[in-house]
Amino acid sequence: MRKLLSMLLALLMLVLPAMSLAATPAEIMAMPEGRTLYTDVTFTPGDLPLDGTAATMAKDLLNALAFSTKAGGADGDVSGLSVSLNGVKVLTFDAQVKDDTLYLATSLLDHPVAFTADEAVDFSKQMLTLLGDAVDVDVASLVESLTADTLTYAMDSAYDAVRNFTFDLEGYTAVTERMSARIVTEEVTEQTKDHEPATTKMTMTITAEDVKDLVKVFADACHSNEALMTVLRQANATYTLDGQEVTEDEFFEGLPAAMEKALSNYEDIVAVAMTNANGETVHASVTLTPKADAEENVLPMAIVYNRLGTADGMGHSLTFTMTSDDSDAVLSVDYLTDAEKKVSFGAALSYVKKDGTVLEVMSLTADGTKENGDTQASSDVTYTAAFSGDGTAENRTSLSVNVQESASFDGKDAVGNKTVALYLNDSKTPMVTITVDQATDKAADDIDAQSAVHLGKMTEEELSAYFEEAMTSAQTNLLVILQNLPASILQALTGGSN
């Protein structure tokens, strides 16, 4: 069993990339304790992929628009969002929990509203009743079932779905011991340049029967969990095996055999893991080889992980290859960990023809630098997503996002800045640049509790009257937004022309 655990831990490198623990500007901004984080967001338009009136409207709106938020701080502090046009706050939302009461304030309403837990339930019942009356639906049973414990019950039900699994530990142990007995451990005598020097090699064969038995253990555990099944039934889940829709029972009972059948076209799976003198995984692979009499379109597959130190940090590569007669489909992932200054990640889906031609269909990359310290940090990273339908450079479309961040902490408060520039294809001019300025400070003023309206205490008639007044107030306050819109937007809304 110990050998199997070692093997599985090594093979985890195939699916769990090592994560860097280096500090980031975001961590610097999180250092102040009990302080509210204030954020301002503005936009600068650039080379937008628009023409004529649409371009003018988009640029005018981006120049005018700004957002501000306040969040975090100590318990009971105010959080909020505000929207500005041309420097004028036209829409605000604030929230605060104080003395077991939730206060909500917005520029759309003349007064804040407030709810205790019981008032929130009463208000919800009132709203359901009003809604039911409006659409002529009987909601009496739903209203009756709604209590302050309803949400807690729903959360407990979800927890039960995880907690109440019945797991066949005996069956699982029997399979893993059978697999463990087939592990061959040997000393590595020849090294390659693909990965760091290895000292130990472990090889394990996995049969279709092994997979079937393991799938049965987990399928039975899921099927026997009534809480999980209830969730799936309420979601109207459908099940398919071998391209045919089947019942719930047929699916969970037939899944192990279906997995065995799918693997019956392959020789036994071969898994290899290599470790260095410290027991760290430097290479791992899983190989599936079709049998000589395999069905048509059953292709060889391989997953390979390698670890190799570089001048910038520890390099990792993960490659999945599916081989056909005329080309190889290759999904590759390369990334750095333990890097002090370099940020590097790349993922690509390519087709490699037999003549060596590489057609890259899709790629995701991150490339840049970082500087981290105890009280200040900065980074400059460009993220790029590219796509080409036929894999050629001529038909390549890409979106790049350059993110520059900096932050510092003086022992009490933190200050940060971030610019996000979006580029289309290979343009040197960004479509738009987003600027984010952040700083921590004392909490904002409390929401005025004395003027707050407790909706949960109102009768149905009082609520109806309140909403009529609130609608009038909202319509009046919405005029502030219209008054501050750019002229080009107003002309479009009113049917004017340039």
Side-chain angles (χ1 to χ4, degrees), residues 241-255:
L241 281 178
D242 293 329
Q244 300 294 322
E245 187 169 329
V246 296
T247 66
E248 175 189 298
D249 289 343
E250 290 172 338
F251 176 79
F252 284 100
E253 291 171 6
L255 185 59

Side-chain angles (χ1 to χ4, degrees), residues 70 76-81 93-97 102-105 447:
K70 47 182 177 283
D77 286 350
V78 177
S79 295
L81 165 71
F93 297 95
D94 288 321
Q96 181 179 24
V97 177
L102 171 63
Y103 295 93
L104 301 173
I447 294 175

